[in-house]
Amino acid sequence: MIVSINKTKTTTFRRLAEVVFGASAPVLFSLISLSSNAQNPAPAKPQAKPMALVGGTVHVGNGTVIEKGVVVFDKGVLTAVGDASTTFDKSKTEVVDVTGKHLYPGLIAMGATTGLVEISSVRATVDNQEVGSITPNVRALIAYNTDSEVIPTLRNNGLLLTQATPQGGTLSGSSSVMELDGWNWEDAVLKKDDGLWLTWPAFFAREFNFDDFSVNLQRNTRRQEVINSLAQLFSDARAYSEIKNPPITNLKLESLRGLFDGRQNLYIRADNSKDIVESVKFAKQHGVKKIIIIGAEDALRVAEFLKENNVAVVLGETHRLPTRQDEPVYQPYRLPSLLQKAGVTVALSYGEAYWRTRNLPFTAGTAAGFGGISSEEALKMITSTPAKLLGIDNVVGTIEKGKLATLVVCKGDILDMRSNGIDHAFIRGRKIDLDDRHKRQYRKYTDKYEIGEK
């Protein structure tokens, strides 16, 4: 919320807030004051004329690297991609020399809550879940906040697309793919309702002990009850999907229709190996066409099963300790490469985080450094592979002619936090303002203490 109020109205508003909201008024007022003092850059304007980025190293996103490349785009679409011999009309094109720099496709954050959560400790700014445990008709995209202060911080690490993902309950609702620039969610959405999110009832529930910081496993006593409810829902939804024009629309069953004709993915949150196998079998038994496992901490134990069933995995947070005490400490770092070598399609996410999602490229760098795969293979896990899983690989995910000009220009290796530095970012050819709250704070205190070059 962006509000502009003068001093007279400030006092009146504060008193009104105290009457209406009581003890919560100070928090509410501080949020409004914060948003009125620091505003995000306005969304970028459409591309005005053709642009060519020349001389840089082009990391296409499919494993190909073009040295001294040329990337040309017009009206938001890539019109030419190639080496130094690539020709274009220089008289009508804005030419930008990016020699010594690197070009990458816009990175894609799967399974994130960016734009749905602003301050996790302030309930009024959290809109990532709905009341109820079975809510397949809930749509995350209408809660997506394009004015979030978090969004610009992601763009500064090369992330230009995010999957706005619902949380909570057993069947949380549908996610949508959003561009990280726009006036509202209608502007920002790239693909609506790409899939539904199911949290599979686990065999064991984890219980954290704050006394000794240990994790205890408790048997999930309600597990079968939840599975029975899901079985009934999916059976009803499958039967409903066979009716082309139902006389009465059932919103819950209607929202599941895309699972049975392949238009939507079913994203299943499951970590334990038994849960992974059981959930996949459940989905296939009920006629679900496209299944993707989210989290998948135990995926290596059932890699052959996943490969045989053509089930991709989107790993959760890579920068963590192993789940099991007998696993090597670097097992989470090596997991992406081990699964890939086992023939499983792998994409990376940062779990269902929001501001920490900006660290996604560095998890890919970790996978390359510890897993024995190339940087280009790791890059695919956050560009072309997510694009394929989300069904948007025809427009984004790689730097190829005919696709949207959604890309970044980086000073160094985008997967390395030491050299990662985004100079330019483009979404549909629109040049993005890379200012953010972090940079504003840096400038503020640099000026105060007169730090920097004299």
Side-chain angles (χ1 to χ4, degrees), residues 41 90 97 170 217 247 258 325 345 360 413 419:
K90 295 183 180 180
D97 186 358
T170 302
L217 295 179
Q325 293 181 347
T345 301
L360 178 61
D413 185 351
S419 61

Side-chain angles (χ1 to χ4, degrees), residues 25-37:
V27 175
L28 175 65
F29 191 82
S30 64
L31 285 174
I32 293 173
S33 300
L34 176 65
S35 61
S36 64
N37 290 332

Side-chain angles (χ1 to χ4, degrees), residues 70-178:
V70 174
V71 175
V72 187
F73 49 95
D74 184 23
K75 298 178 181 178
V77 177
L78 294 164
T79 56
V81 178
D83 58 21
S85 63
T86 303
T87 59
F88 58 94
D89 188 349
K90 295 183 180 180
S91 64
K92 298 180 180 180
T93 305
E94 178 184 353
V95 179
V96 180
D97 186 358
V98 292
T99 301
K101 298 179 181 180
H102 299 259
L103 282 68
Y104 294 92
L107 308 185
I108 303 171
M110 293 189 68
T113 56
T114 304
L116 305 179
V117 179
E118 192 67 10
I119 305 172
S120 59
S121 59
V122 180
R123 181 65 187 88
T125 71
V126 178
D127 197 5
N128 60 343
Q129 66 182 70
E130 194 54 81
V131 176
S133 60
I134 305 292
T135 55
N137 50 310
V138 167
R139 306 173 74 205
L141 83 164
I142 61 171
Y144 183 77
N145 175 24
T146 54
D147 288 322
S148 170
E149 290 260 17
V150 178
I151 289 174
T153 67
L154 269 63
R155 297 193 302 227
N156 268 294
N157 273 359
L159 288 125
L160 302 183
L161 296 158
T162 185
Q163 185 184 26
T165 304
Q167 292 180 306
T170 302
L171 195 55
S172 310
S174 65
S175 58
S176 292
V177 184
M178 317 297 290

Side-chain angles (χ1 to χ4, degrees), residues 117-429:
V117 179
E118 192 67 10
I119 305 172
S120 59
S121 59
V122 180
R123 181 65 187 88
T125 71
V126 178
D127 197 5
N128 60 343
Q129 66 182 70
E130 194 54 81
V131 176
S133 60
I134 305 292
T135 55
N137 50 310
V138 167
R139 306 173 74 205
L141 83 164
I142 61 171
Y144 183 77
N145 175 24
T146 54
D147 288 322
S148 170
E149 290 260 17
V150 178
I151 289 174
T153 67
L154 269 63
R155 297 193 302 227
N156 268 294
N157 273 359
L159 288 125
L160 302 183
L161 296 158
T162 185
Q163 185 184 26
T165 304
Q167 292 180 306
T170 302
L171 195 55
S172 310
S174 65
S175 58
S176 292
V177 184
M178 317 297 290
E179 295 174 330
L180 293 182
D181 182 63
W183 287 102
N184 47 46
W185 69 261
E186 291 96 333
D187 282 347
V189 65
L190 179 63
K191 183 176 182 180
K192 297 180 181 178
D193 305 317
D194 64 276
L196 281 93
W197 288 71
L198 169 64
T199 300
W200 188 252
F203 276 95
F204 297 99
R206 296 177 184 176
E207 185 179 84
F208 190 77
N209 189 336
F210 287 95
D211 293 330
D212 58 3
F213 299 101
S214 62
V215 178
N216 299 319
L217 295 179
Q218 301 291 334
R219 190 172 184 84
N220 187 351
T221 56
R222 292 190 61 250
R223 180 173 175 278
Q224 193 57 50
E225 177 187 341
V226 174
I227 293 176
N228 292 341
S229 298
L230 287 172
Q232 184 64 55
L233 174 66
F234 274 72
S235 295
D236 292 345
R238 188 176 186 181
Y240 180 89
S241 70
E242 296 174 357
I243 305 174
K244 291 185 178 180
N245 297 303
I248 299 176
T249 300
N250 184 308
L251 292 180
K252 285 191 173 182
L253 300 183
E254 188 69 40
S255 63
L256 292 165
R257 184 185 291 270
L259 298 179
F260 307 109
D261 59 17
R263 288 183 292 111
Q264 291 179 300
N265 297 325
L266 178 62
Y267 301 98
I268 304 177
R269 299 181 178 101
D271 285 316
N272 183 275
S273 56
K274 291 183 178 180
D275 294 332
I276 292 172
V277 171
E278 187 178 43
S279 63
V280 170
K281 288 182 176 179
F282 172 91
K284 283 188 170 291
Q285 178 186 346
H286 286 88
V288 176
K289 301 295 185 184
K290 299 179 181 178
I291 306 164
I292 299 174
I293 298 295
I294 307 296
E297 292 179 1
D298 268 358
L300 192 59
R301 295 171 177 263
V302 290
E304 190 63 30
F305 171 82
L306 294 169
K307 179 182 177 182
E308 290 176 357
N309 287 275
N310 195 30
V311 175
V313 300
V314 179
L315 297 177
E317 189 173 345
T318 300
H319 293 160
R320 61 176 176 84
L321 291 172
T323 305
R324 301 172 184 270
Q325 293 181 347
D326 59 344
E327 289 180 339
V329 70
Y330 292 134
Q331 182 75 353
Y333 299 173
R334 296 177 179 140
L335 186 57
S337 62
L338 293 174
L339 285 171
Q340 186 188 67
K341 292 172 183 176
V344 179
T345 301
V346 182
L348 299 179
S349 74
Y350 212 86
E352 293 179 345
Y354 63 112
W355 66 266
R356 289 185 299 130
T357 302
R358 70 186 184 207
N359 294 323
L360 178 61
F362 309 140
T363 66
T366 300
F370 284 84
I373 58 174
S374 69
S375 295
E376 299 306 316
E377 286 297 314
L379 179 66
K380 289 165 63 175
M381 296 180 181
I382 53 176
T383 54
S384 56
T385 299
K388 185 176 181 179
L389 296 180
L390 293 168
I392 54 175
D393 55 314
N394 60 320
V395 289
V396 294
T398 57
I399 302 177
E400 295 179 287
K401 182 179 178 180
K403 293 191 177 183
L404 296 178
T406 298
L407 66 150
V408 295
V409 178
C410 188
K411 294 177 182 177
D413 185 351
I414 200 170
L415 307 184
D416 179 13
M417 65 178 64
R418 296 171 301 175
S419 61
N420 171 292
I422 306 301
D423 272 353
H424 306 285
F426 302 89
I427 296 179
R428 293 180 183 255

Side-chain angles (χ1 to χ4, degrees), residues 34-74:
L34 176 65
S35 61
S36 64
N37 290 332
Q39 299 180 11
N40 286 337
K45 295 180 180 180
Q47 185 180 0
K49 62 180 297 186
M51 178 176 286
L53 307 175
V54 301
T57 302
V58 181
H59 302 262
V60 177
N62 58 8
T64 304
V65 177
I66 304 173
E67 300 290 346
K68 298 180 180 179
V70 174
V71 175
V72 187
F73 49 95
D74 184 23

